[in-house]
């Protein structure tokens, strides 16, 4: 969710810190800041964009070789400069709250026992200048400091309850940054020179995302749960959650900054909508036949043993799981349950050790989904598989099986290409399970593979509908409410369409299974309530037409995504966009694209911030 960058070096590290924050802007944030050591602690903070922070840093001539930087998405305390990170300690040793103590700290996550710690520290004379839970950690580390920052941080994290990734340095120990993580991602970047060898200055880095260090180093260490790392010039060492020294693998990770370039597009969301044919092709590249080994070694044995599927996900990923439920039960004939990850671990459930637990996540670091996975494992369900876009993520490391979707970096907060590639991966999972269970004939396999190979071309044809979608968007721009309807396999697509509209246009939008219309939502229908209907030519089409008539009879205005052979015609109060072709079981991947474009162009017309919608973040790494 938030972004962390830290470094120790002999050169001025501020440009790298700020550049790292710029590369993490896509995660979403409402304030940012940087702190360095140069004859004491120096800091700049802003509630504007990172570009303004850069101007402030330049104006104040802030530079130094040791530093930390942060983008904050507010949890405790409003978006304000005094709540922005980095935080300084203000303890009994500081002259006043306006003068910093010796510790500077940034933090991702939420500290659940911050009130208790705050009261204890206030009693000891520490002065709080923010409403954040993060400032508690800075004071706590200061209170435990006795000349060795590494030991102080190790002692401090033992007292923290909740999720955290922290980077901290102390003015009394130049060229030293300490990092720690539990429940939030943090990586170590090992410095190198232009030839790829060890950095002559001995510099090392911390970040919450490898992309922050693109162009700086590609030598990455993924810190494990509970790790504490000590960065110094020319060396680093790590201890695990028991504080025993450990060695973590150094991996070469190509986090190309070029992936974040807009090119000819106005916004990242637009770029990512139009990347879907390529992203889907990449996700399916190398799939020449259906085999369980697409999901990892040992998948055949797991698929043979399981008798049900439990899908855990949040947001857009949850809707991809809801779509997959229809496939898994109708094609593979495997009972499937889909749970909102943030709810699953807080209710009593009946565990089944023969369940395949499937997590779906774009980032692989979604806190609620990771926690739900661990809860399922704690209940004895050890068959785990993830559909994920980041091969090096915590989710991939913690699941036994995985399918990497290869959508590429997704910058826009409103997910688009991650969703369609998740669906492609889930359809492959459906076919693999059906094959192992003896429910997929050779003819059916060939038919499905042919349809999947044609997906990139089919998606390209749907993108050509953009001018017609823009016409719809002009109508929607003046509305404040909308309904989305779908039936069967396309009900989750209606849900996803409504989510996209509300995320970036701020129009209140709700989706319903069309058969539920007369059980309440019909009361909302007026001429001012546009009703978007997903209308493929499937077995529920005639039922859906009846639901559409219910809308028209109440003066509602319909916007219909119809297959060519549905015999639904445009008329007064009925606006129809015809899809290029009917695509059977894979139809959801095509029908969602016009809904993405509708949200995008409506947001353009309303003048909202498309890529950084208010109050939202890209990677939700806090509960």
């Amino acid at each position: 969710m938030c972004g962390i960058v830290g470094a120790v070096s002999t050169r001025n590290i501020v440009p790298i810190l700020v550049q790292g924050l710029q590369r993490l802007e896509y995660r979403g944030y409402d304030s940012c800041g940087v702190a360095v050591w140069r004859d004491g602690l120096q800091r700049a903070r802003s509630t504007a964009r990172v570009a303004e922070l850069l101007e402030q840093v330049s104006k104040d001539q802030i530079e130094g070789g040791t530093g930390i930087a942060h983008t904050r998405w507010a949890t405790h305390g409003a978006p304000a400069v005094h709540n922005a990170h980095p935080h300084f300690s203000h303890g009994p040793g500081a002259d006043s709250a306006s003068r910093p103590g010796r510790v500077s700290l940034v933090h991702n996550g939420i500290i659940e026992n911050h009130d208790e710690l705050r009261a204890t520290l206030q009693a000891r004379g520490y002065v709080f200048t923010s409403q954040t839970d993060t400032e508690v950690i800075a004071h706590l580390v200061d209170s435990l400091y006795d000349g060795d920052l590494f030991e102080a941080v190790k002692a401090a994290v033992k007292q923290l309850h909740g999720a955290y990734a922290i980077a901290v340095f102390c003015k009394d120990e130049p060229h030293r940054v300490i990092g720690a993580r539990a429940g939030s991602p943090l990586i170590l970047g090992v410095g190198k020179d232009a030839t790829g060898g060890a950095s002559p200055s001995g510099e090392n880095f911390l970040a919450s995302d490898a992309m922050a260090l693109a162009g700086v180093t590609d030598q990455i260490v993924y810190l494990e749960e509970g790790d504490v790392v000590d960065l110094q010039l020319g060396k680093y060492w790590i201890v695990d959650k028991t504080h025993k020294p450990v060695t973590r693998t150094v991996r070469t990770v190509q986090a190309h900054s070029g992936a974040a370039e807009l090119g000819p597009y106005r916004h990242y969301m637009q770029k990512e909508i139009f990347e879907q044919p390529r992203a889907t092709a990449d996700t399916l590249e190398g799939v020449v036949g259906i085999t369980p080994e697409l999901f990892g070694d040992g998948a055949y044995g797991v698929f043979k043993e399981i008798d049900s599927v439990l899908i855990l996900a949040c947001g857009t990923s949850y809707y991809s799981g809801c779509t997959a439920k229809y496939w898994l039960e109708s094609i593979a004939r495997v009972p499937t349950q889909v749970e909102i990850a943030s709810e699953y671990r807080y209710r009593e459930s009946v565990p089944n050790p023969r369940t395949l637990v499937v997590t779906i996540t774009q980032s692989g670091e979604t806190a609620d989904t990771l926690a739900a996975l661990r809860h399922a494992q704690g209940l004895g369900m050890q068959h785990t598989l993830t559909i994920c876009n980041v091969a090096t993520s915590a989710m991939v490391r913690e699941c036994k099986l995985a399918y990497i979707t290869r959508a590429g970096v997704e910058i826009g907060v409103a997910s688009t290409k991650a969703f369609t590639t998740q669906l492609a991966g889930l359809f492959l999972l459906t076919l693999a399970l059906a094959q192992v269970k003896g429910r997929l004939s050779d003819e059916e396999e060939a038919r499905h593979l042919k349809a999947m190979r044609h997906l990139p071309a089919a998606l390209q044809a749907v993108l050509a509908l953009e001018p017609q979608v823009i016409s719809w968007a002009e109508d929607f721009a003046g509305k404040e409410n909308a309904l989305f309807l779908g039936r069967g396999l396309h009900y989750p697509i209606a849900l996803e369409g409504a989510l996209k509209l509300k995320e970036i246009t701020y129009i209140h939008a709700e989706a319903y299974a069309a058969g539920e219309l007369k059980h309440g939502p019909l009361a909302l229908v007026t001429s001012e309530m546009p009703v978007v209907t997903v209308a493929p030519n499937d077995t529920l089409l005639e039922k859906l037409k009846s639901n559409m008539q219910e809308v028209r009879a109440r003066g509602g205005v319909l916007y219909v995504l119809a297959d060519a052979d549905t015999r639904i015609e445009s008329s007064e109060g009925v606006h129809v966009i015809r899809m290029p072709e009917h695509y059977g079981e894979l139809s959801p991947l095509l029908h969602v694209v016009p809904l993405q474009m509708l949200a995008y162009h409506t947001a353009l017309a309303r003048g909202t911030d498309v890529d950084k919608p208010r109050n939202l973040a890209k990677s939700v790494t806090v509960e």
Side-chain angles (χ1 to χ4, degrees), residues 15 21 28 135 269 289 328 358 388 390 446 461-462 472 520 606:
L21 294 187
E135 191 180 4
M269 183 179 179
L328 287 162
V358 178
C388 183
V390 182
V462 175
W472 282 15
R606 289 169 69 92

Side-chain angles (χ1 to χ4, degrees), residues 120-159:
T120 300
L121 290 162
Q122 285 176 326
R124 296 181 59 180
Y126 281 88
V127 178
F128 285 78
T129 62
S130 78
Q131 289 79 49
T132 68
D133 54 339
T134 298
E135 191 180 4
V136 169
I137 316 175
H139 294 331
L140 180 62
V141 171
D142 185 284
S143 73
L144 296 167
Y145 183 73
D146 189 23
D148 189 328
L149 186 61
F150 191 49
E151 294 302 320
V153 172
K154 287 195 295 182
V157 297
K158 289 182 178 179
Q159 299 185 40

Side-chain angles (χ1 to χ4, degrees), residues 35 84 106 154 192 207 216 229 232 278 306 310 333 338 342 345 351 361 380 398 400 405 444 453 474 479 530 606:
V106 295
K154 287 195 295 182
K192 65 174 188 175
V216 177
V229 59
Q232 299 188 34
R278 189 272 310 157
I306 63 101
L310 170 63
R333 310 299 296 171
V338 188
S342 58
R345 68 188 178 113
T361 165
E398 293 192 26
K400 292 182 179 178
T405 55
E444 289 170 328
R453 293 189 187 104
E474 292 170 354
K479 307 299 183 183
R606 289 169 69 92

Side-chain angles (χ1 to χ4, degrees), residues 17 27 34 50 55 100 183 211 288 291 327 342 407 526 589 619:
L17 295 178
R27 285 175 171 257
V34 60
V50 175
E55 292 178 5
M211 182 179 287
V288 295
T291 170
W327 289 333
S342 58
T526 70
L589 280 84
S619 181

Side-chain angles (χ1 to χ4, degrees), residues 309-315 317-319 321-322 325 336-350 357-360 368-369 372-373 375-376 381:
V309 171
L310 170 63
I311 295 175
L312 302 172
C314 299
S317 297
Y318 171 74
Y319 295 143
C322 291
K325 174 182 172 71
T336 301
Q337 184 176 356
V338 188
E339 293 262 5
I340 297 172
S342 58
E343 291 292 319
Y344 168 68
R345 68 188 178 113
Y346 292 115
R347 71 175 187 84
E348 294 291 331
S349 59
V350 182
V357 179
V358 178
T359 63
I360 311 171
D368 287 319
T369 310
L373 169 68
H375 177 69
M381 293 186 284

Side-chain angles (χ1 to χ4, degrees), residues 273-274 457-473 560-564 576-581 589-598 601:
I273 288 171
F274 278 83
L459 286 165
Q460 198 67 54
V462 175
L463 290 170
L465 299 174
E466 186 178 32
Q468 298 175 61
V469 176
I470 292 173
S471 177
W472 282 15
V560 186
L561 291 173
D563 286 343
V576 179
I577 291 179
R578 297 203 178 281
M579 299 293 287
E581 57 184 309
L589 280 84
L590 304 190
H591 275 85
V592 76
V593 175
L595 300 181
Q596 296 168 348
M597 291 193 291
L598 175 62
H601 285 290

